[in-house]
Every structure is written in structure tokens, then in C-alpha cells.
């Protein structure tokens, strides 16, 4: 007896990939795919399949799944999706159409991974996000470059800073602004979702604990905004190589606030019916994420950190489902002057994770502690995953990743580049010793 054909839904889109240390190019593919339907199912290849067909992954399957699940436009992640997309497999999830970027993906035999889907007329193409890829990021780590740094994102978006002629800078700035607007959309990928602000102050106020400034907030994009009854919570960081460590921290912030709200009756039938009756079903927390400038991170961490510039890191934070607002250029130390001047009012809580990647010579969270609003997220399985640990994974398997780079047509890293990183790391170590820093 023939097996019954599965029911396929035109509006349920399938997208699959490796999604190795998640970046905004991956999010861009998910956004475009989501805009083609009302649901997005995302397949994630196994570590073994990727090794066999492409080379070693930087992040394991659990870490890559965490990144996919955190994307605002993803309906469901599917682990262990086959490297060559098979119609019976995606049929289990009732997806009619498969989406992929306009680059060619081949298996270990050099054959098109989407050949079966294409033959069935169920393949759709989206544009690949320019100027970002896993290969680019690995290259920055191995070559220890700093050319990706942005001095002022605000000026770059208006074409006042950047490379090329004035016209080229304005064109590039407009394209970057358009992408920020896209990544700040809601779950459907169409309407405004995330509030976006710039914070402007002196370099001392941004990087150190020596200057108490209110600074100036300027709204870049208006999102959904805060809803009645929601608590405002503030988090901050570099969010470099936006990883499972950042994601799990943000997820746990939301869970902590949901637990608090549950105890206060937020999820009672009466409360839910009241919100739905007013045409708005929403969660109890409004998460504001402050993102530090490139020079602030480099001031503290040295070498060529951040590996991603503030624009790239900001896009990663914008696409995250656990974030409702983003502040570009947030201070390293959230002072009382800064916190009480936030556009949404003084936050109800300021959260910090169990560990920090950046070495410190003082406690940057003194103000929220004195204000009685500091909260700490407890230990979790991804707490040690950060930009530093990811770079170390690459460096420990340098030969494997260089071979992967060569297959991509990227120039191999020589001994001089390796020695340069060693020198910069030693300089940073001595600088930290002089400051008398500690990991907090």
C-alpha cells in the first residue's frame, strides 16, 4: 500500500543550514524566508554531517540550536536536518517551499544540496547578506585585523564616516540603515518591532567609571514600545560573536521576569482576558539591551576585539526574540544618571550574568546595586561561551580552519600573523596586570 502524501502548506517555509557561530547574515536569510510565509521552520545540520561535507564546526549542535531558537522570525527549529535537503523529510513538517540564499551549496561529492527540491519546483531564492560570513569572521580572528572597527555608527549611517567617496559612503550608510530597520521588525518581519536609540556622551563616560553623565538619547527607530503593566529591565554588553552564552543569559532574564509576573497574577485568566480584550496579548517584561561601542570594548579587551563591529553586533541583538529595545553606544558603566534618564524611565531591574568576558578593575554595577535594582542570573551550561572562548576554539584547531579557509579561496595565515596575535595578547596581559584587573 502506497504511503499517503503529506499535506503541504504554502505558508510554512523551510530553511536549513549549519548556522555556525550565528551572525546577522544568517538572520538576514531567516528574515527574508519568514517574509515569504506565515511560519518558518529551520533545519539545523548535525555536527557529523557538517564535518563530512564542509569541515569542522566552531559551535556544537546545542549551541547552534540555541541561536536559531532565539531568532524572532523562527517558528520552530529542527535538529539533525539532512545536509542534502530531502522532500520526504521536509514533508514531515508539511513545508511546501524551501528557501536558500543565492550562493551555491554543495555536498562532499560536489553536488547541489538542493537538487531534489529544485527538480520538484519547490525552491525559492533569497539574497545573500553582503559583507558578512563565517569565513570572514574566522579570517578576522586568524589575521588579527582591526579594519572592521567603526568609530561612530551614527556618523557612518549618515555617510559622514567610512571608506570611499562621499557618495559611496552615503550609499553604504543608507544600505546599513535599511538593514537596521529590517532587523528591528516584529515576528512577521514586516511591521516595526524593536525601539532603537543612540546614546551620546564623552569617551570617558562611555568607557570608564570616571565620569557621571546623563548623556543624550536620540531615537533612531520607533518600535512597539512598552505596554501597560510591563516591567522595564536593562541589560548591557558587547555581545561579540553573539553566542549561546549571550542568548541563554537573555532567555533567562525573560524567564526570571515571567516567574516574578506569574507570582503576581500576570497569567491569571482574568488578567489574560483583560489584555486580550484590549487587543493586546503580550509578555510581562520589556528588555532594553545596551550595546557598547567598538572602542570601548577594545579599550578593555585589547588585541582585535570586538571581532564583530557595533553594527554587526547590533543587528544580532536586534533580531533576538528576547530583546524589545536596543541602545547603540551604551556606557560600560550604567550610572544612576544614565539609568534614570532612559527613555522608558528608570528600569525596574538591571541584570548581569554569572561571568564576564571583559577583565575589570572595578565593579561597573555599583549604581544599580545601590539603587536596589541589580539582579544576577545564575550559572548555566553556556556561561563560558563568549568571544574569547570562541577565538580559542579557532586557534586550537588552526590547521583545520585554515584548510577550510583555503577551500573558500581565502589566503592562508602565515607565521607572522600568528606571532602578531601572540604579541598583542602578551601586551594585553601586561596591561591588565598593571590595572590590577579581575574577571567579575
Amino acid at each position: 500500500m502506497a504511503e499517503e502524501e503529506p499535506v503541504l502548506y504554502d505558508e510554512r517555509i523551510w530553511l536549513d543550514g549549519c548556522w555556525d557561530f550565528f551572525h546577522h547574515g544568517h538572520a538576514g536569510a531567516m528574515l527574508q524566508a519568514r517574509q515569504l510565509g506565515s511560519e518558518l521552520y529551520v533545519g539545523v545540520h548535525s555536527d557529523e554531517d557538517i564535518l563530512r561535507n564542509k569541515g569542522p564546526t566552531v559551535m556544537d549542535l546545542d549551541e547552534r540550536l540555541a541561536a536559531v531558537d532565539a531568532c524572532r522570525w523562527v517558528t520552530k527549529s529542527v535538529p539533525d536536518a539532512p545536509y542534502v535537503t530531502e522532500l520526504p523529510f521536509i514533508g514531515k513538517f508539511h513545508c511546501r517551499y524551501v528557501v536558500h540564499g543565492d550562493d551555491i551549496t554543495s555536498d562532499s561529492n560536489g553536488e547541489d544540496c538542493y537538487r531534489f527540491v529544485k527538480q520538484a519546483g519547490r525552491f525559492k531564492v533569497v539574497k545573500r547578506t553582503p559583507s558578512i560570513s563565517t569565513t570572514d569572521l574566522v579570517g578576522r580572528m586568524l589575521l588579527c585585523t582591526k579594519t572592521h572597527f567603526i568609530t561612530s555608527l551614527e556618523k557612518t549611517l549618515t555617510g559622514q564616516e567610512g571608506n570611499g567617496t562621499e557618495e559611496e559612503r552615503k550609499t553604504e550608510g543608507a544600505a546599513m540603515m535599511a538593514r537596521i530597520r529590517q532587523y528591528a521588525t516584529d515576528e512577521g518581519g514586516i511591521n516595526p518591532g524593536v525601539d532603537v536609540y543612540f546614546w551620546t556622551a564623552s569617551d570617558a563616560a562611555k568607557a570608564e567609571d570616571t565620569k557621571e553623565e546623563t548623556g543624550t538619547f536620540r531615537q533612531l527607530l520607533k518600535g512597539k514600545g512598552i505596554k501597560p503593566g510591563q516591567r522595564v529591565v536593562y541589560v548591557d554588553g558587547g555581545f561579540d560573536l553573539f553566542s549561546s552564552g549571550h542568548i541563554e543569559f537573555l532567555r533567562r532574564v525573560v524567564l526570571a521576569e515571567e516567574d516574578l509576573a506569574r507570582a503576581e497574577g500576570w497569567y491569571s485568566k482574568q488578567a489574560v482576558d483583560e489584555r486580550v480584550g484590549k487587543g493586546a496579548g503580550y509578555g510581562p517584561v520589556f528588555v532594553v539591551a545596551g550595546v557598547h561601542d567598538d572602542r570601548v570594548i577594545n579599550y578593555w579587551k585589547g588585541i582585535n576585539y570586538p571581532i564583530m563591529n557595533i553594527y554587526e553586533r547590533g543587528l544580532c541583538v536586534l533580531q533576538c526574540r528576547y530583546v524589545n529595545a536596543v541602545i547603540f553606544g551604551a556606557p560600560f558603566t550604567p550610572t544612576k544618571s544614565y539609568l534614570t534618564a532612559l527613555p522608558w524611565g528608570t528600569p525596574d531591574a538591571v541584570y548581569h550574568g554569572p561571568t564576564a568576558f571583559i577583565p575589570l578593575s572595578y565593579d561597573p554595577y555599583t549604581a544599580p546595586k545601590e539603587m536596589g535594582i541589580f539582579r544576577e542570573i545564575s550559572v548555566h551550561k553556556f556561561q563560558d561561551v563568549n568571544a574569547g572562548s570562541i577565538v580559542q576554539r579557532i586557534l586550537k584547531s588552526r590547521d583545520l580552519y585554515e584548510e577550510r579557509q583555503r577551500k573558500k579561496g581565502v589566503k592562508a595565515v602565515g607565521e607572522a600573523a600568528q606571532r602578531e596575535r601572540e604579541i598583542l595578547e602578551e601586551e594585553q596581559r601586561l596591561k591588565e596586570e598593571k590595572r590590577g584587573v579581575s574577571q567579575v
Side-chain angles (χ1 to χ4, degrees), residues 346-402:
T346 302
D348 296 285
V350 174
Y351 280 87
H352 183 55
T355 59
F357 165 51
I358 295 178
L360 304 174
S361 56
Y362 69 96
D363 182 0
Y365 296 99
T366 299
K369 287 177 180 178
E370 291 177 347
M371 295 166 69
I373 58 174
F374 183 77
R375 303 287 183 272
E376 190 167 74
I377 294 299
S378 60
V379 296
H380 56 79
K381 67 177 181 177
F382 297 131
Q383 66 184 41
D384 295 320
V385 183
N386 55 46
S389 64
I390 294 170
V391 169
Q392 288 307 310
R393 293 183 191 185
I394 295 288
L395 296 180
K396 284 179 182 177
S397 303
R398 180 185 293 269
D399 292 342
L400 289 172
Y401 290 113
E402 285 195 339

Side-chain angles (χ1 to χ4, degrees), residues 78-92:
V78 180
D80 300 315
Y83 201 82
V84 176
T85 307
E86 302 166 352
L87 295 176
F89 187 84
I90 64 172
K92 294 178 185 177

Side-chain angles (χ1 to χ4, degrees), residues 192-207:
V194 183
D195 289 351
V196 184
Y197 280 79
F198 282 114
W199 186 67
T200 305
S202 68
D203 287 347
K206 286 198 170 194

Side-chain angles (χ1 to χ4, degrees), residues 118-138:
K118 290 178 178 178
Q119 289 166 8
R122 291 165 58 182
F123 187 72
K124 294 189 176 187
V125 178
V126 295
K127 291 182 179 179
R128 182 182 177 279
T129 304
S131 305
I132 188 70
S133 69
T134 302
T135 305
D136 295 333
L137 295 173
V138 170

Side-chain angles (χ1 to χ4, degrees), residues 149 240 294 297-298 301-307 357 387-388 391 421:
F149 285 8
D240 195 14
D294 294 348
I297 296 173
N298 192 254
K301 195 56 193 172
I303 313 176
N304 71 326
Y305 293 107
I307 305 301
F357 165 51
V391 169
R421 171 169 278 280

